[in-house]
Amino acid sequence: MSSINPHYTFQYVQPEEYHFSHDSVFLARKVFEIHKQDLSLSTALDLCSGCGIVGLDFLFHCKTGHRSMPKNFDFIEVQNVYEKYFEANTIAFGSGLPQVNFLNRNYEKTEARKYDLILCNPPYFRPDQGSLSPSEFKNRCRFFIDSDFKSLLEAIGNSLAHKGSAYVLLKDLRAHGTDTTREASEILKSFSVEVVDDIRGTSLVKITQK
């Protein structure tokens, strides 16, 4: 996949210290293209949302494509520094947003709400898989520091509605001795874990109940 984004949406605001990659916007576009269910009565979640780019981009594609939107869209992010950027991005989005909520919490604390659609571009690496930055903020964006991979997947499984779908980017870490897709299947034994696309060398995985 090209690193050039052919589906521009709107001008984002984000921290200077750490910018999201094109993986996020490509994830939003790909899910828009393949997930065509009526979402008008649905609830959705952008997990590990940062400043909200994945979820807001997805909603923008729905808006311009005259597609139904979820009636409620939650954005869960553990780093509260992102909240002001999220709020600025909802303004930049313009008219037509459904109910959106920035929830500053760890993904282990998703409460009891069930979601029909979950989008997630999580940290890619474990703390022992690469060099940590002097910046704690950057490290928390790139590495599983606030929790771990297993807890992320369990949170997705616990939050997914019966007929819901989750779309998650899983980095191939076999160079580090970790097959993330296989590990996800082993953790989510009662779910179907299917690779549905490749986004710049990262697997887009769809998770549904069996």
Side-chain angles (χ1 to χ4, degrees), residues 14-33:
Q14 56 188 319
E16 284 297 327
E17 190 175 355
Y18 185 85
H19 286 191
F20 65 89
S21 74
H22 273 137
D23 292 1
S24 294
V25 294
F26 291 159
L27 166 61
R29 179 66 192 186
K30 182 55 65 174
V31 174
F32 169 76
E33 291 173 354

Side-chain angles (χ1 to χ4, degrees), residues 36-85:
K36 297 183 178 180
Q37 286 90 329
D38 181 3
L39 296 173
S40 58
L41 299 178
S42 300
T43 56
L45 170 66
D46 181 349
L47 190 58
C48 305
S49 69
C51 52
I53 297 308
V54 174
L56 292 175
D57 241 37
F58 175 79
L59 289 172
F60 196 92
H61 290 310
C62 290
K63 172 185 173 181
T64 57
H66 306 290
R67 185 93 56 83
S68 64
M69 296 185 189
K71 63 179 180 180
N72 187 287
F73 212 125
D74 287 345
F75 293 73
I76 290 183
E77 170 56 45
V78 70
Q79 299 199 75
N80 61 4
V81 66
Y82 275 119
E83 185 167 8
K84 64 180 180 181
Y85 298 99

Side-chain angles (χ1 to χ4, degrees), residues 123-137:
Y124 285 164
F125 303 101
R126 323 294 164 91
D128 61 346
Q129 295 174 332
S131 301
L132 294 176
S133 165
S135 166
E136 179 187 0
F137 174 61

Side-chain angles (χ1 to χ4, degrees), residues 84-105:
K84 64 180 180 181
Y85 298 99
F86 172 80
E87 292 175 352
N89 286 331
T90 61
I91 294 171
F93 181 98
S95 63
L97 266 180
Q99 177 66 44
V100 296
N101 311 287
F102 183 90
L103 305 175
N104 176 215
R105 62 182 62 145

Side-chain angles (χ1 to χ4, degrees), residues 2 21 39 53 100 124 155 173 176 182 203 207 210:
S2 169
S21 74
L39 296 173
I53 297 308
V100 296
Y124 285 164
L173 299 176
H176 297 280
R182 180 178 179 180
S203 295
I207 300 170
K210 291 181 179 178

